Amino acid sequence: MSKTIIVSNRLPVKITDDNGELTLSASEGGLATGLGSIYQQGENVWIGWPGMDITEPEQQKEVTEKLKAIKLIPVFLNQEEISEYYEGFSNEILWPIFHYYASTFTNYRQSNWDFYQLVNTKFKEAVVSIAEPGDTLWIHDYQLLLLPGMLRKALPGLKIGFFLHIPFPSYEMFRLIPWRAQLLEGMLGADLIGFHTYDDVQHFIDAVARILPYNSSSNIISVRDRPVVAEAFPMGIDDKKYAALTEKDEVKEQIALLNQNFKDIKIILSIDRLDYSKGILQRLEAFELLLNQYPQYLEKMVLYMIVVPSRDTVPQYKELRDEIDKRVGNINSLYRTIEWTPILYFYRSFPIETLSALYYIADVGLVTPMRDGMNLVSKEYVASRTQNNGVLILSEMAGASKELIDALIVNPNNIGDIMQAIVKALNMSESEQKTRMESMREVVSKFNVFHWVKIYMDKLNEVKELQRSRESRHIDNHIGLKIKEAFRAAKKRILFLDYDGTLVQFQNNIQQANPDAALYQLITQMVSDEANEVVLISGRDYRNMEDWFGQTGVDLISEHGAWQKLRDGEWESIIGLNDIWKVDIMPILKAYVDRTPGSFIEEKSFSLVWHYRKSPEGLGELRSNELINNLTYLIKDKGLQLLPGNKVIEIKNLEVNKGKAALSRLYQRKYDFILAIGDDHTDEDIFNTIPDTAFTIKVGSMMSAARFYLRHTEEVREFLTDLTKPV
Ligand code: GDG
């Protein structure tokens, strides 16, 4: 029976030490609730650090036993590992960079990195000791970015999912990390990489494109021959649990008490872990501004602020705590009256029942992080509003703002904006509160944490399926033999071969991708058999094709089919094609060349191509998108087509494509063996139009209509050499 293994830095457990007597209790974080449905079933387990420095072998044994009973497996870390890997690398390098808090003072300590690798290796060993073929792994968060890659190496067939709970920063931030390439390679060991938002996905794909030599098409990255998918899965909460909590007697009692204490006083609630990314100081500033600008609210409202202790061994967190203490003290001392204190501040955690009561009675939920992967507090507030009232103020920098669009969305840096939002919230009519809250409650309910787990797991299985079907279509010995048998049995064969990316690799300079001696030799071998018609079918200019292959005995189709030449014939173009449209398009392309260093125009007889392979990464893509937008309308009535290719955009006559050109060849004669090999999406036209009995082969690992796959140009050459070798 295959099992699922959850891996995260922390195990969902609290260990308390009563004079050497350890007691364990399950902790109920959002992740633990969501994944509870998984790890508590069958053989499934959860691997992680129990959260304490337990060094005594006897005690380790005891803890291991106790954890085993609740399906948890510990990875023990010593003090040095905790301080270097967890506090150092994870929380002083990754956390700030991923939350856009990098500064010139960030210290990229080598020892932190060494320990990060070491502890990830420790986790790997823990997984390897229990993983079996067919198992599924779900690895969580930024402390374990290297783990998927390490496991992929150790157990290549494993199904590995990874989820990042914090934002993935833009390339400009991410590139600062000295070990950026290794971190990305680590993540790409997974089959499915999940993020909270679409922006995170885009940032990740962008970083991969700029740092690693992998191609991607929309959200699928080809890691060597393995497609890896990056996708957004906004995490939800167990909304029913929060709704049900408000009905509990214990919670009702607390609600009654709070109502009594805050009669006629509006409560603005703020709950966070102690973290500079949560925008606590800015929130205080906005609140102070409100007290200052709107004296009518004095004694009419309170800010109920809970800050949960966290990472207080890290110096910045200690400083932050001191600063909060100071600010709260200042504000309270300035505005307090005998009967009223503006900020009720608690630096500790509370039982969930108290949170529930607070969520239930708070008139305003004030959630204004500077950056937050998702932010579950905002969703918990909404889920607890069973009366469909209350107002959520939410930072646009929280992942949750993408879903909870009916909140009052604010920029957390704009103190005035936050203040105005509080004023608006305090004055919002009940009907508006209801409309907004109902629609947010619907979102929170539909996209709850169980839904999150389900769609993630479904997708992971789907990706694995995709890889398997891709793998089964790769030409191995067995398939190779079948094709060879068909080849041998045939009397009249036709071979359509694309050139760039199929027979030779792409080069920065298009003229550098010229044929080498080995390729000419292969061509000679192929054409020496009278039964073979070899057709090189390319988007290149016909003069270029003539120079290279005019005398080799192959048939040539160039410019995607605009020109054709039989082996001993003359070049002929499709009748009726014109190029007068070039007059209109050329100036536009020239403008893009002026604005995009490294780009240039290639003029073919019936098409124009804008190349950006040599342009700075990113700028080329940006301009190419602009260009596409720019041209889309213009080409409509001109009978033209836009063809985005590998770092090129080609504008050509609509009626010309490789599929039509190939098909016209097939009309002329009967062939009993048809083969087509190509790598980019202009070749898909061939795969889609020629008969199903043809052997169609895609080079690379992108999605394709082809029946089979080869990995790269060398494999293509080996395959053709073997296929056509004289017997
Ligand atoms: C990371 C990402 C992402 C808070 N105080 C108490 C308490 N809490 C609970 C809340 C909530 C959780 O802690 C905090 O979750 P957040 O999502 O708001 O923030 P992070 O801890 O930073 O979480 C974040 C999350 O991962 C999930 O992917 O959303 O962006 O930074 O559930 O209720 N719980 C109890 N007492 C408290 O005093 N019992």
Side-chain angles (χ1 to χ4, degrees):
M1 249 283 278
S2 61
K3 60 182 173 301
T4 299
I5 305 169
I6 308 285
V7 194
S8 68
N9 171 57
R10 272 295 300 271
L11 281 176
V13 69
K14 277 186 291 219
I15 305 188
T16 33
D17 187 347
D18 276 334
N19 295 327
E21 176 68 25
L22 297 179
T23 39
L24 304 188
S25 55
S27 68
E28 294 168 11
L31 190 63
T33 310
L35 299 178
S37 57
I38 298 188
Y39 83 95
Q40 280 158 4
Q41 278 172 18
E43 298 294 299
N44 303 349
V45 285
W46 189 324
I47 295 179
W49 173 48
M52 262 181 108
D53 172 19
I54 304 167
T55 37
E56 290 295 314
E58 270 309 302
Q59 232 180 10
Q60 288 194 351
K61 212 168 140 217
E62 184 197 333
V63 171
T64 307
E65 285 303 312
K66 284 186 175 166
L67 288 172
K68 197 172 168 197
I70 46 174
K71 315 201 62 180
L72 306 178
I73 297 178
V75 174
F76 293 107
L77 302 179
N78 62 36
Q79 201 46 56
E80 192 181 21
E81 289 165 341
I82 294 165
S83 92
E84 295 268 356
Y85 140 85
Y86 181 61
E87 290 158 7
F89 198 80
S90 302
N91 290 341
E92 288 184 56
I93 296 177
L94 293 181
W95 179 276
I97 297 254
F98 280 43
H99 286 86
Y100 295 80
Y101 272 92
S103 78
T104 39
F105 304 111
T106 309
N107 193 344
Y108 300 100
R109 270 189 299 269
Q110 181 66 35
S111 67
N112 284 171
W113 169 243
D114 294 342
F115 272 92
Y116 188 77
Q117 296 177 87
L118 184 132
V119 172
N120 272 258
T121 311
K122 252 188 162 174
F123 273 82
K124 178 202 80 181
E125 279 154 11
V127 174
V128 168
S129 71
I130 60 156
E132 289 155 310
D135 284 354
T136 300
L137 258 115
W138 195 4
I139 301 165
H140 291 265
D141 230 359
Y142 64 104
Q143 302 91 349
L144 299 173
L145 296 178
L146 298 176
L147 185 57
M150 290 176 169
L151 285 168
R152 178 68 56 208
K153 271 206 192 106
L155 303 163
L158 224 51
K159 191 192 291 176
I160 306 177
F162 178 82
F163 191 86
L164 186 72
H165 290 262
I166 62 175
F168 193 92
S170 82
Y171 168 70
E172 281 307 320
M173 291 300 288
F174 186 72
R175 70 192 296 206
L176 297 174
I177 306 173
W179 309 280
R180 58 208 180 175
Q182 292 97 313
L183 292 172
L184 290 179
E185 283 282 8
M187 293 173 79
L188 288 169
D191 300 304
L192 175 63
I193 306 177
F195 300 90
H196 281 307
T197 71
Y198 175 75
D199 286 346
D200 299 321
V201 175
Q202 292 309 309
H203 288 157
F204 174 73
I205 292 176
D206 186 37
V208 171
R210 287 158 184 251
I211 295 170
L212 298 177
Y214 302 136
N215 288 326
S216 61
S217 154
S218 73
N219 65 338
I220 305 180
I221 302 156
S222 297
V223 181
R224 288 167 277 276
D225 53 339
R226 192 170 50 91
V228 173
V229 174
E231 204 160 301
F233 300 90
M235 185 176 165
I237 59 166
D238 182 358
D239 64 303
K240 291 208 173 60
K241 177 174 110 180
Y242 282 88
L245 267 169
T246 64
E247 297 294 324
K248 254 178 106 171
D249 288 343
E250 197 185 336
V251 176
K252 280 186 166 164
E253 278 164 29
Q254 296 199 37
I255 292 173
L257 203 65
L258 285 162
N259 271 333
Q260 211 178 346
N261 287 348
F262 296 101
K263 218 162 156 271
D264 300 325
I265 291 187
K266 300 255 188 194
I267 298 180
I268 302 165
L269 180 65
S270 141
I271 299 180
D272 308 273
R273 246 180 347 88
L274 177 72
D275 203 295
Y276 44 83
S277 68
K278 301 289 182 182
I280 301 171
L281 293 174
Q282 291 78 357
R283 203 173 307 157
L284 285 172
E285 213 179 307
F287 189 69
E288 185 173 13
L289 191 66
L290 175 71
L291 295 172
N292 181 287
Q293 304 274 305
Y294 291 82
Q296 63 267 43
Y297 292 126
L298 299 178
E299 301 193 309
K300 299 278 186 317
M301 58 163 191
V302 292
L303 175 63
Y304 205 106
M305 190 165 94
I306 297 177
V307 176
V308 182
S310 164
R311 304 179 195 171
D312 35 20
T313 45
V314 176
Q316 288 96 320
Y317 287 72
K318 253 215 240 42
E319 280 166 31
L320 175 65
R321 193 202 150 175
D322 293 346
E323 191 59 30
I324 296 174
D325 281 353
K326 209 165 85 193
R327 294 266 181 98
V328 171
N330 279 347
I331 298 173
N332 277 345
S333 57
L334 261 178
Y335 293 93
R336 158 184 294 141
T337 63
I338 293 179
E339 315 217 303
W340 174 73
T341 306
I343 305 172
L344 298 168
Y345 167 49
F346 305 85
Y347 181 68
R348 62 186 170 96
S349 71
F350 287 92
I352 194 161
E353 287 74 16
T354 306
L355 292 195
S356 169
L358 285 166
Y359 283 142
Y360 186 82
I361 59 134
D363 302 278
V364 181
L366 184 58
V367 185
T368 56
M370 309 309 281
R371 285 281 163 181
D372 218 336
M374 171 52 67
N375 191 289
L376 300 181
V377 168
S378 57
K379 292 189 172 180
E380 292 164 5
Y381 176 69
V382 168
S384 309
R385 307 303 302 176
T386 51
Q387 308 296 311
N388 286 316
N389 58 5
V391 184
L392 175 65
I393 299 176
L394 182 58
S395 158
E396 64 183 45
M397 307 293 176
S401 69
K402 304 287 187 295
E403 294 171 273
L404 303 178
I405 50 173
D406 283 296
L408 297 182
I409 305 286
V410 293
N411 174 350
N413 293 302
N414 189 337
I415 305 298
D417 198 17
I418 302 177
M419 181 196 70
Q420 288 303 340
I422 300 176
V423 172
K424 185 168 176 190
L426 293 173
N427 291 293
M428 191 181 283
S429 71
E430 279 185 17
S431 68
E432 185 176 351
Q433 290 183 28
K434 185 163 182 278
T435 319
R436 288 175 180 263
M437 195 50 82
E438 271 174 356
S439 95
M440 290 195 283
R441 286 175 61 76
E442 220 168 272
V443 172
V444 170
S445 164
K446 182 159 180 220
F447 299 97
N448 61 47
V449 72
F450 306 107
H451 178 78
W452 176 72
V453 170
K454 183 178 180 313
I455 57 168
Y456 185 90
M457 282 302 180
D458 286 352
K459 185 71 193 185
L460 180 57
N461 291 330
E462 192 188 310
V463 175
K464 214 61 200 167
E465 253 333 291
L466 170 83
Q467 292 177 353
R468 284 202 191 106
S469 79
R470 192 70 54 91
E471 196 47 41
S472 69
R473 285 155 72 191
H474 180 258
I475 300 183
D476 55 9
N477 286 343
H478 175 70
I479 300 174
L481 214 62
K482 283 230 138 57
I483 301 177
K484 218 162 161 178
E485 277 168 17
F487 183 89
R488 297 250 183 280
K491 300 260 174 328
K492 195 69 209 145
R493 316 176 187 115
I494 187 159
L495 281 55
F496 294 106
L497 306 175
D498 167 51
Y499 181 69
D500 293 274
T502 299
L503 294 175
V504 296
Q505 276 176 5
F506 284 103
Q507 299 288 341
N508 264 352
N509 188 329
I510 48 172
Q511 286 306 324
Q512 266 167 10
N514 54 342
D516 50 284
L519 181 60
Y520 282 124
Q521 205 176 339
L522 171 59
I523 288 177
T524 311
Q525 174 180 312
M526 290 192 286
V527 296
S528 63
D529 184 340
E530 285 294 314
N532 296 343
E533 277 178 29
V534 180
V535 187
L536 292 192
I537 182 162
S538 163
R540 280 189 181 254
D541 185 280
Y542 78 101
R543 288 158 291 214
N544 182 190
M545 294 297 279
E546 175 63 32
D547 286 348
W548 285 347
F549 301 107
Q551 308 305 317
T552 54
V554 293
D555 294 350
L556 295 170
I557 296 178
S558 72
E559 299 187 26
H560 305 288
W563 291 90
Q564 307 212 17
K565 180 194 163 197
L566 295 178
R567 59 192 294 177
D568 303 315
E570 292 298 318
W571 281 102
E572 282 173 19
S573 68
I574 298 185
I575 299 161
L577 286 186
N578 74 60
D579 65 352
I580 43 172
W581 51 269
K582 282 184 182 170
V583 189
D584 297 323
I585 304 291
M586 188 60 112
I588 299 175
L589 295 187
K590 280 192 173 146
Y592 275 82
V593 169
D594 290 343
R595 294 171 57 208
T596 319
S599 74
F600 62 94
I601 301 167
E602 181 191 3
E603 180 169 1
K604 303 183 197 171
S605 24
F606 295 108
S607 70
L608 290 174
V609 195
W610 182 69
H611 288 256
Y612 60 93
R613 185 173 303 281
K614 288 193 284 186
S615 302
E617 190 70 51
L619 179 67
E621 279 71 19
L622 185 79
R623 290 278 186 267
S624 85
N625 287 337
E626 278 177 35
L627 181 59
I628 290 172
N629 282 337
N630 218 319
L631 290 176
T632 303
Y633 290 103
L634 207 78
I635 59 166
K636 262 195 182 147
D637 53 353
K638 294 193 184 336
L640 299 174
Q641 185 192 10
L642 270 184
L643 216 60
N646 195 316
K647 308 271 184 193
V648 296
I649 292 178
E650 179 149 12
I651 301 104
K652 66 171 185 59
N653 284 282
L654 195 58
E655 60 265 44
V656 177
N657 76 50
K658 286 183 176 180
K660 283 190 183 165
L663 209 56
S664 79
R665 287 299 304 266
L666 298 180
Y667 286 144
Q668 289 163 25
R669 290 181 86 143
K670 278 232 160 314
Y671 298 94
D672 49 4
F673 179 92
I674 307 169
L675 174 86
I677 314 183
D679 72 302
D680 77 14
H681 77 262
T682 61
D683 301 307
E684 294 295 317
D685 287 333
I686 313 182
F687 303 150
N688 278 314
T689 36
I690 64 176
D692 291 345
T693 48
F695 295 98
T696 47
I697 302 171
K698 175 84 169 177
V699 186
S701 63
M702 292 299 181
M703 298 287 267
S704 174
R707 288 169 64 194
F708 304 108
Y709 279 89
L710 286 169
R711 294 192 178 92
H712 37 67
T713 54
E714 289 102 86
E715 272 196 5
V716 173
R717 289 191 187 197
E718 274 166 34
F719 167 77
L720 287 172
T721 309
D722 185 50
L723 182 71
T724 60
K725 123 178 121 209
V727 271

